[in-house]
């Protein structure tokens, strides 16, 4: 989870030139957890050749979760990490 949030913050600064980043956590309905990373930088645009997004998706899947990235109404981008309350056992 830490590496996903770190990558989201790094991307907001490096690719979006964000001046403000907000990280919030809370429950995910019906039973899970959610972490949202919002920034006021440029809207999200996939960068060819980068592995950050691929790594975030892989890490989320390993935890039984998923990420969603979107432009948001206030300008900038939002990453939402949704996770189950219990993560799968690693093999």
């Amino acid at each position: 989870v830490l590496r996903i949030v770190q990558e989201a913050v790094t991307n907001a600064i490096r690719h979006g030139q964000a001046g403000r980043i907000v990280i919030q956590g809370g429950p995910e309905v019906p039973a899970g957890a959610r972490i949202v990373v919002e920034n006021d930088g440029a809207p999200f645009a996939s960068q060819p050749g980068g592995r950050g997004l691929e790594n975030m998706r892989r890490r989320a899947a390993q935890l039984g979760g998923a990420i969603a990235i979107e432009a948001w109404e206030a300008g900038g981008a939002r990453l939402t990490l949704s996770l189950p309350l219990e993560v799968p056992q690693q093999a």
Side-chain angles (χ1 to χ4, degrees), residues 33-68:
R34 176 182 60 218
I35 297 173
V36 178
V37 181
E38 296 177 334
N39 71 75
D40 65 353
F44 170 74
S46 183
Q47 299 281 326
R51 301 205 110 182
L53 182 56
E54 177 184 325
N55 288 337
M56 286 191 290
R57 289 191 195 286
R58 179 182 48 78
R59 286 181 171 128
Q62 287 174 336
L63 297 170
I67 63 168

Side-chain angles (χ1 to χ4, degrees), residues 5 9 21-25 35-38:
V5 173
V9 170
I21 299 170
V22 177
I23 302 169
Q24 298 178 348
I35 297 173
V36 178
V37 181
E38 296 177 334

Side-chain angles (χ1 to χ4, degrees), residues 3-7 12-13 16-17 30 37 39-40 44 48 53 59-60 63 70 73 77-78 86 88-90:
R3 296 290 183 231
I4 294 168
V5 173
Q6 283 178 326
E7 183 70 23
I13 294 167
Q17 288 80 44
V37 181
N39 71 75
D40 65 353
F44 170 74
L53 182 56
R59 286 181 171 128
L63 297 170
E70 60 191 340
E73 63 276 358
R78 171 189 293 142
E86 292 186 33
Q89 294 293 322
Q90 299 297 318

